[in-house]
Amino acid sequence: MTLADLGRLDGDVVYFAARAEGGGMSTAVSVETLHGDGLETFAAGLESDFRGWPGERVWKSFRGDLELHATHGGRSVELAWTLHGLEPAGGGARPWSCTVRTFVTPGEELRRFSADVAGFLAT
């Protein structure tokens, strides 16, 4: 999963591209947020609770084009990134989604993930 092309509009709207690639396929969505929709805070919360949390934690962009689900499995944290979009179809639009799962270890890799998210949104 790659986040790229950060931009700002009127100080409130932060937008960026979310891209998923692998297995001979690729897709991307344009994500719009209001001040990042708390993604930085979400990532920092995962880092601060690196020892674990019950269940699943979920972050969603306000337009619903990107979701991030985080589950702590003890020795790893699963980050399930889901991109949502619309495909033109017969005079209308058909919804699609793509989920990419990445895994990080609690501790240093999770800290690096949180720092990368904060650094990206600060640019």
Side-chain angles (χ1 to χ4, degrees), residues 62-80:
F62 85 96
R63 292 195 187 265
D65 13 52
L66 179 62
E67 295 179 25
L68 175 56
H69 295 247
T71 307
H72 199 295
R75 294 185 176 195
S76 67
V77 174
E78 178 181 340
L79 302 173

Side-chain angles (χ1 to χ4, degrees), residues 5-50:
D5 305 327
L6 182 82
R8 299 181 191 283
L9 183 65
D10 297 329
D12 293 332
V13 177
V14 176
Y15 57 91
F16 55 89
R19 297 186 184 110
E21 296 181 33
M25 100 156 207
S26 67
T27 191
V29 294
S30 179
V31 180
E32 289 186 24
T33 70
L34 294 174
H35 303 285
D37 287 341
L39 180 56
E40 181 178 351
T41 303
F42 178 81
L46 300 180
E47 177 191 358
S48 69
D49 292 337
F50 71 94

Side-chain angles (χ1 to χ4, degrees), residues 26 43 116 123:
S26 67
D116 288 348
T123 58

Side-chain angles (χ1 to χ4, degrees), residues 86-102:
L86 294 173
E87 173 185 11
R94 180 176 50 209
W96 61 265
S97 66
C98 172
T99 299
V100 174
R101 287 174 169 68
T102 58

